Amino acid sequence: MSWFYRIYHFALKCIVIFIGIPNPKLHQGKTGLLDAIKALGLKSGDNVLVVTDQVLLKLNLYQVVENTLRESELVTHYYADVLPNPTITNVEDGLKVYQQHQCKAIIALGGGSVLDTGKLIGARAVKPNKPVTKLKGLFKVLKRLPPNIAIPTTAGTGSETTVAAVVNDPTNHAKYAATDFCLVPHHAVLLPELTTSMPAHITATTAIDALTHAIEALLSINCLKFSRERALEACRAIFEYLPKAQQDPQNLEARAQLLLASHYAGQAFTRTSVGYVHAISHQLSAQYGTPHGLANAVLLMPVLTWYGERINQQLALIARYCGLTSLDYPIERQADDLLEHIERLLLDLHIQTTLAEVLPDDAALLAELALKEAHPDYPVPHFMDPSACQRIIKGIAPTP
């Protein structure tokens, strides 16, 4: 079936080349937030749905958005019960608030889970007779969403610039994505001050999530010039500014650079798709509730190591661009230098190498589901077989 997968990947590449994928209008800082709200084109007194979570409410991080909406004479209504792994129920409950108050726009404020929920609430608002389960897959919405803004509070998912929205179906222990050009938010606002209160562990795992997006975008056989440039810039910024943000959580320059890196990585992978790190991590989140960024951080090195010398060219390119190696070294040494740098970074960030919840007995099923997700949707450089996938999963299980 590999020939069929490659035909499918070529078709996806043609879509990017000949049709193109929209970008959100990027705004930065508090002035950018006001500009984004004005750009929604709403009238005084219009109702706006703000989608967020309980943590952000308790930390009062929503206040900057609330104040700016009030200055713009708009009325806010909140749906703030989004879970770390958002569920279909989250989307439906948010939709009820949107419809009850006849909202005219949606502002999603939070991490990737919140931003994805905001997208799906918007999709359901314009497709009221189509349940979330029917939005799974490609181009199931095909209708412009209500005016919206995405404001990330973690520098990781890049959801404020992507065509996808991921949701969990707890009943079936499944995690799947709706993918459609209309799911790209209309406006993205980057406010680094909203990220300074993130715990060090969350800062680390979300940034490694963004790094994974960038690396898997570069590994994709569909990686074109724009994605390559964005992914490389994201890698460089993460390697430089993640340690600075860890050392000084209030460093606004470092926080701003990590937000921008996440944004760039999102732009890259939304045009190239992701790979086996994500394919496996999605199953861990669905089966065990493992946080997405942590799952990616644990799986990144095992998957890159499985590829081996087959991805030396791409890894060496990253190493050279980020100044992590010598131009005089052979390609193999340059690739090794990058892997060593990533391994050292994960160690410095206190990222674990195993996940206590992973059961070796589940490996066969998890591998089956991961490869079903990856094939044919992900334009990976080389195909993984079930036995290799099972070995990776068993390798991140705790030692008996």
Side-chain angles (χ1 to χ4, degrees):
M1 291 295 289
S2 59
W3 60 271
F4 167 75
Y5 297 159
R6 290 311 189 200
I7 292 172
Y8 179 77
H9 298 156
F10 179 73
L12 293 177
K13 189 174 185 178
C14 289
I15 289 173
V16 174
I17 294 173
F18 296 111
I19 299 178
I21 293 176
N23 279 310
K25 172 69 175 175
L26 178 62
H27 308 266
Q28 295 178 276
K30 293 180 180 177
T31 302
L33 173 61
L34 181 60
D35 291 342
I37 290 172
K38 288 180 178 177
L40 294 176
L42 303 180
K43 303 188 299 292
S44 175
D46 278 348
N47 293 316
V48 175
L49 175 67
V50 177
V51 182
T52 188
D53 61 35
Q54 288 296 320
V55 173
L56 292 177
L57 284 188
K58 290 174 183 175
L59 292 174
N60 280 332
L61 292 183
Y62 72 98
Q63 203 64 56
V64 62
V65 175
E66 173 72 24
N67 293 341
T68 309
L69 287 167
R70 284 182 181 174
E71 290 172 18
S72 304
E73 300 181 332
L74 299 172
V75 181
T76 55
H77 302 276
Y78 284 83
Y79 176 68
D81 292 326
V82 180
L83 298 174
N85 283 308
T87 64
I88 292 173
T89 300
N90 289 154
V91 176
E92 296 302 317
D93 288 348
L95 177 66
K96 289 175 186 176
V97 178
Y98 180 89
Q99 293 173 330
Q100 178 184 350
H101 297 286
Q102 298 180 321
C103 294
K104 302 294 184 182
I106 299 172
I107 297 179
L109 170 70
S113 59
V114 170
L115 303 191
D116 282 1
T117 302
K119 292 180 185 182
L120 290 171
I121 292 171
R124 287 285 286 116
V126 298
K127 291 284 189 176
N129 298 319
K130 201 167 191 175
V132 176
T133 52
K134 298 294 184 182
L135 299 176
K136 176 184 177 181
L138 298 174
F139 307 121
K140 300 295 178 60
V141 185
L142 294 174
K143 192 171 183 180
R144 183 174 175 82
L145 270 54
N148 60 78
I149 300 172
I151 308 172
T153 58
T154 60
T157 68
S159 183
E160 77 279 1
T161 188
T162 68
V163 298
V166 178
V167 67
N168 282 271
D169 182 352
T171 303
N172 297 308
H173 295 287
K175 186 172 185 175
Y176 54 80
T179 304
D180 202 314
F181 292 166
C182 62
L183 293 178
V184 175
H186 302 158
H187 301 273
V189 181
L190 306 184
L191 297 168
E193 60 268 30
L194 297 183
T195 67
T196 56
S197 59
M198 273 197 301
H201 185 64
I202 303 300
T203 297
T205 55
T206 53
I208 299 302
D209 186 17
L211 180 66
T212 304
H213 291 154
I215 292 174
E216 292 204 310
L218 286 161
L219 294 180
S220 169
I221 65 168
N222 283 1
C223 189
L224 299 169
K225 184 174 183 290
F226 177 79
S227 292
R228 186 177 304 110
E229 291 173 347
R230 285 292 197 250
L232 287 170
E233 189 54 40
C235 289
R236 181 162 63 182
I238 291 165
F239 287 139
E240 180 177 353
Y241 289 101
L242 177 54
K244 293 179 180 179
Q246 290 292 87
Q247 292 165 8
D248 178 10
Q250 303 302 314
N251 186 329
L252 287 181
E253 180 190 10
R255 295 291 187 177
Q257 289 295 328
L258 289 178
L259 276 173
L260 194 58
S262 175
H263 189 81
Y264 283 167
Q267 288 181 312
F269 90 81
T270 206
R271 288 159 176 78
T272 65
S273 198
V274 285
Y276 290 122
V277 176
H278 277 79
I280 301 172
S281 73
H282 286 162
Q283 314 319 314
L284 302 185
S285 296
Q287 182 70 25
Y288 307 117
T290 308
H292 176 67
L294 175 61
N296 278 353
V298 172
L299 286 162
L300 180 57
M301 282 301 297
V303 171
L304 294 181
T305 302
W306 169 79
Y307 276 121
E309 62 183 15
R310 294 172 293 190
I311 58 170
N312 276 352
Q313 291 287 345
Q314 297 97 317
L315 297 186
L317 172 63
I318 300 171
R320 293 194 301 272
Y321 188 89
C322 298
L324 303 176
T325 191
S326 170
L327 300 180
D328 296 329
Y329 291 161
I331 294 295
E332 295 79 6
R333 172 70 183 277
Q334 293 176 354
D336 286 343
D337 282 347
L338 176 68
L339 292 175
E340 289 173 9
H341 185 82
I342 294 173
E343 195 166 32
R344 201 161 48 244
L345 176 62
L346 293 172
L347 185 63
D348 291 343
L349 295 172
H350 306 292
I351 300 292
Q352 62 212 66
T353 57
T354 61
L355 294 168
E357 62 269 30
V358 176
L359 303 176
D361 288 346
D362 293 341
L365 176 60
L366 293 170
E368 179 185 351
L369 294 171
L371 296 183
K372 183 178 179 180
E373 175 181 319
H375 304 151
D377 285 347
Y378 298 162
V380 291
H382 301 279
F383 294 118
M384 182 181 290
D385 61 37
S387 61
C389 193
Q390 289 183 41
R391 284 196 298 272
I392 288 173
I393 294 167
K394 290 178 180 178
I396 63 168
T399 304

